[in-house]
Amino acid sequence: MLMRHPRHVRLALATATAAALTGGLLTFSAATATAADSATVPQADFNGDGKGDVALSAHGAYVSGHAGAGQIVALYGTTTGVSSAKRSTISQNTTGVPGTAEAGDGFGGETAYADFNGDGYDDLAVSSPWEKVGTDTNGGGLTILWGSASGLTGKAVDVPDPAPSSHDFWGKDLAAGDFDGDGKADLAVGSSASTIYVYKGGFTTAGTPGARTTIKPPIISGTNDSPYGPLSLTAGDVNGDGRTDLIVDGYETQSDYGWNTNYFVPGSASGLNVGSATALKPGIITGIGDINGDGFGDIVSGAGWDATLEDGTPVPDAANGGKVNITYGSASGPAGTTGITQNSGSVPGTSEKGDGFGWELDMGDVNGDGYQDLVVAAPDEDIDGVTNTGMVTVLYGSAAGIDVTTGTQAFAQSTAGVPGNDEKSDLFGADVKLDDVTGDGRADLIVGSYENAGNGAVTYLPSNGSKITTTGSRTVSPSTSGVSTSGAPQFGAIFAD
C-alpha cells in the first residue's frame, strides 16, 4: 500500500473540478526548486530588470478549443508588484513553441527556471507530462522557453526524451541548479522511472546540452497508470560548497509498505553523487534556504498528510493536520531536524485532521534581516464551517531557526484586506511563493488557489519591509491574463520554483 498525498491530485485530470481535486489520490508531484549558488533562495528574472518574476501554470486550460492543453503565464515584477497588466501568456500554439496544443497535454504541468543559455536572462523549462508522443500515450514533452529583455516569448527549443520506451511522463519532475559547480546551469529531469536524467553545462540556443548523464536514487519506478519515479526534485546548496545538491523524494525500495522518503544527493565536481545519498525525514513538498543565517541551506519538507491512513494504519513521523520538517544544513550536509505543526508555539490555527499543513511551502526574506522566512500552506483548512477554504502561514527565520513564538502571521480570504471570501473548496494556498517582485529587497507573498470551481486565482500580498501586509494586495484572475475559464484551467495552482 502506498502513501497518498492530497496536493498531487491537482495533476490527476486537467479538466477536474476543484471539488474533485480534494479527494486525496496521488498522481505525481509538480514541486521543484531552482538551486542557489549560496544558501539564498533564488528568484526568476526573465526580463533582466532586477525584479522578481512569477511563472505560473494553467495546465488545465482550454487552448483553441482543446481541453486541458495548458498554458504558462509569466507575471513580471514592477515597483507595485505583479498583475495581469505586465505578463506573457504562452501555449504550444504560440509561434515558435515546439508542438501543438492538444487535449490533455497539460503544458505547464511542471516548470523550473535558470539561465540555461548563459545570456543573462532566466529561462523556463516547461513540461507537458501527458502529451502523446507518436503512439506513446502520456509519453510527455519538455520545452525550454528562452528569456529576453521582453521576458518569455515564443522563442523555445524542445528537449526530447532520450529513452521514450523506458518510461512515461517525461518531464513530470524538474529541478535546476549547478550540480558540478562549473558556473553553468544544469537541469534534472524526472519521469515515471527511477532514473533521473541530468543535463549538464547549460544548453545552446539550439537546444544542445553540454552533456547528459543519469543518476538512479533508491526509489521505485512506476507505470503508465501509476507514475511514480521521483515525487519531487528540489535543488539547493545544503553544505555550502558552492555546488548544488538535490533532494529526491520517492517511494522507498526498502519497505514493504512503500512510504515516501527524501534522499539528499550531494553535488560534486563531477556532478550529483548518488553513491553518497542519505535518507531524510519525509515530506514531499520541499524547499531549501538559509533560515538561521549560517551560510548553509536548510531543507524544509512538507508532510501535509495525517498521522493515520483511512484504514487506521499509522504513518511514520506524521501529525494530524500535517507537519513541516526542517533539516538544518552544515558543512557535512544535512544535520539535525525539527518538526513544526499548527500546535507548535504560537503557530496560527490548531492541528486538525485533514488541514493539509505543509501541502505547499516556500522561502524568502520578507524583512531583509538576512534570514530566510517560511510560508506554509494549509489549503484544506476549514474556517467557520467553510470546508477546504484554505489558509497560509508566514513564519520568520532567526539565528535560532524558525521562530514559532513571535511574529507569526496567517492569511485567509476572510482576513481583513485580503481580496475575496472564504468559499468551499477554494484551496487558498494551492501553491505559494515568497519572491521580491517589487525590487525593494524584501520578499512578497504570492498565493494560488482553486477559486471558482477550479478556474484558479493568484493573490498578491506585499511586504511592507518588516512583514507581509494586505495594503496594496490584489487578485490576478485567469480571465484578465489571457486564459480561458472553460473547464478548470487551475490558474495559479503551480508556480515555477
Side-chain angles (χ1 to χ4, degrees):
M1 187 172 183
L2 296 169
M3 171 67 75
R4 307 300 184 190
H5 185 266
R7 187 255 196 186
H8 300 89
V9 300
R10 72 188 189 188
L11 293 179
L13 291 170
T15 57
T17 64
L21 291 166
T22 60
L25 296 176
L26 179 140
T27 58
F28 51 77
S29 170
T32 60
T34 305
D37 293 327
S38 65
T40 301
V41 179
Q43 59 187 26
D45 187 1
F46 301 117
N47 57 7
D49 66 355
K51 300 179 182 67
D53 304 321
V54 177
L56 58 96
S57 299
H59 66 279
Y62 274 68
V63 177
S64 301
H66 300 292
Q71 291 173 297
I72 283 289
V73 178
L75 303 176
Y76 299 109
T78 71
T79 55
T80 57
V82 290
S83 72
S84 57
K86 189 176 182 182
R87 61 169 171 83
S88 297
T89 302
I90 298 172
S91 75
Q92 286 182 294
N93 278 359
T94 300
T95 301
V97 177
T100 302
E102 299 167 315
D105 281 352
F107 182 73
E110 172 65 312
T111 50
Y113 55 77
D115 182 3
F116 293 115
N117 60 2
D119 65 354
Y121 302 102
D122 278 328
D123 313 304
L124 186 67
V126 183
S127 75
S128 45
W130 304 275
E131 182 154 3
K132 185 176 182 180
V133 182
T135 59
D136 186 9
T137 302
N138 296 330
L142 180 59
T143 296
I144 296 178
L145 304 175
W146 299 122
S148 70
S150 302
L152 297 179
T153 65
K155 294 181 179 179
V157 292
D158 180 49
V159 182
D161 187 343
S165 63
S166 300
H167 51 243
D168 285 311
F169 304 104
W170 172 243
K172 77 177 183 67
D173 304 284
L174 303 171
D178 184 4
F179 303 119
D180 55 7
D182 67 354
K184 298 178 181 178
D186 308 320
L187 179 65
V189 184
S191 68
S192 62
S194 57
T195 298
I196 297 167
Y197 286 82
V198 182
Y199 292 83
K200 300 171 61 175
F203 293 81
T204 68
T205 53
T208 304
R212 189 185 71 218
T213 187
T214 62
I215 63 170
K216 193 170 184 178
I219 59 174
I220 65 173
S221 297
T223 66
N224 188 275
D225 294 325
S226 302
Y228 300 136
L231 302 179
S232 70
L233 301 175
T234 307
D237 188 0
V238 176
N239 56 15
D241 65 355
R243 302 182 181 100
T244 304
D245 310 309
L246 187 69
I247 308 301
V248 180
D249 185 272
Y251 288 128
E252 61 192 16
T253 57
Q254 306 97 308
S255 169
D256 292 336
Y257 208 88
W259 304 112
N260 79 289
T261 298
N262 280 328
Y263 293 94
F264 167 76
V265 182
S268 72
S270 58
L272 292 168
N273 183 5
V274 75
S276 297
T278 56
L280 306 173
K281 294 286 188 180
I284 293 177
I285 310 308
T286 301
I288 300 174
D290 187 4
I291 292 168
N292 57 6
D294 63 358
F296 303 105
D298 306 313
I299 304 163
V300 185
S301 294
W305 45 80
D306 294 318
T308 58
L309 299 182
E310 291 181 0
D311 64 2
T313 301
V315 180
D317 198 38
N320 280 340
K323 181 180 183 181
V324 169
N325 287 307
I326 302 174
T327 300
Y328 289 95
S330 73
S332 58
T337 298
T338 185
I340 296 175
T341 71
Q342 286 182 293
N343 286 346
S344 300
S346 61
V347 175
T350 301
S351 293
E352 299 165 316
K353 200 164 185 177
D355 280 351
F357 183 77
W359 168 303
E360 272 294 351
L361 55 85
D362 197 38
M363 285 181 278
D365 190 355
V366 173
N367 52 17
D369 63 358
Y371 304 109
Q372 294 295 305
D373 307 312
L374 174 67
V375 58
V376 182
D380 286 331
E381 183 86 27
D382 299 345
I383 299 176
D384 292 334
V386 182
T387 306
N388 297 332
T389 185
M391 181 177 80
V392 300
T393 299
V394 181
L395 305 170
Y396 288 84
S398 72
I402 286 294
D403 183 357
V404 297
T405 61
T406 59
T408 60
Q409 295 181 280
F411 297 93
Q413 287 184 291
S414 55
T415 303
V418 175
N421 301 286
D422 290 340
E423 297 170 316
K424 183 179 179 180
S425 297
D426 270 357
L427 294 163
F428 186 74
D431 207 347
V432 288
K433 286 290 290 176
L434 278 176
D435 279 352
D436 174 18
V437 295
T438 63
D440 65 356
R442 305 291 191 270
D444 310 297
L445 176 59
I446 318 293
V447 183
S449 71
Y450 282 108
E451 188 83 16
N452 298 327
N455 283 347
V458 171
T459 301
Y460 163 68
L461 299 170
S463 168
N464 66 4
S466 60
K467 63 181 181 180
I468 297 298
T469 180
T470 61
T471 302
S473 64
R474 67 180 66 97
T475 296
V476 183
S477 70
S479 59
T480 61
S481 303
V483 174
S484 170
T485 53
S486 297
Q490 300 171 52
F491 174 86
I494 304 171
F495 296 143
D497 292 322

